[in-house]
Amino acid sequence: MRSGLRRGRGGRRCACAAGGVSVLSASRGFGAPIEDVAISAPVRYDDLDLTTDRDVHRLHTRIFVAARHLCRQLDNRYPIAVSDGSPSCYRQAVDDAMAQADDAVARAYGD
């Protein structure tokens, strides 16, 4: 589900993806097909200096906010979710985005 680090218009970004949520694709009850859904959004950091603790903290805060927002969107679009024992939407989104943020911080120190 990781879409990787992107450089696009407007500078550097990492992707925060929320998903891995299994939902019933029909509301008829049991026997309905189940599908996995996911959404993602870029988290910009081109205005941050990732060699400073303060700006790394700001990036982490942006990731937390984006993950919360994306998971709420999924909850609103697909209110009936099937729990399969996998990590929560928020935890999975944060973990995936933090791995990308760690890579970006490492690159900042390498530049």
Side-chain angles (χ1 to χ4, degrees):
M1 187 164 353
R2 260 187 236 181
S3 51
L5 214 47
R6 303 177 191 163
R7 282 182 190 245
R9 271 189 354 219
R12 298 180 181 190
R13 325 172 202 197
C14 57
C16 183
V21 177
S22 297
V23 296
L24 299 174
S25 62
S27 60
R28 294 184 188 147
F30 299 113
I34 296 175
E35 61 184 89
D36 288 327
V37 295
I39 56 175
S40 65
V43 176
R44 291 186 57 176
Y45 63 90
D46 60 334
D47 60 328
L48 301 177
D49 176 0
L50 297 182
T51 61
T52 67
D53 289 342
R54 187 175 102 201
D55 281 356
V56 170
H57 178 74
R58 286 181 175 159
L59 175 57
H60 290 173
T61 299
R62 291 176 185 183
I63 289 169
F64 298 142
V65 169
R68 190 175 318 112
H69 176 73
L70 292 172
C71 290
R72 282 184 184 155
Q73 279 186 323
L74 278 177
D75 285 344
N76 289 336
R77 289 182 190 174
Y78 305 97
I80 301 173
V82 177
S83 176
D84 61 2
S86 61
S88 72
C89 173
Y90 177 78
R91 176 58 30 216
Q92 184 176 345
V94 167
D95 289 349
D96 289 349
M98 285 297 186
Q100 294 177 56
D102 290 345
D103 290 344
V105 171
R107 275 195 307 280
Y109 278 100
D111 289 343

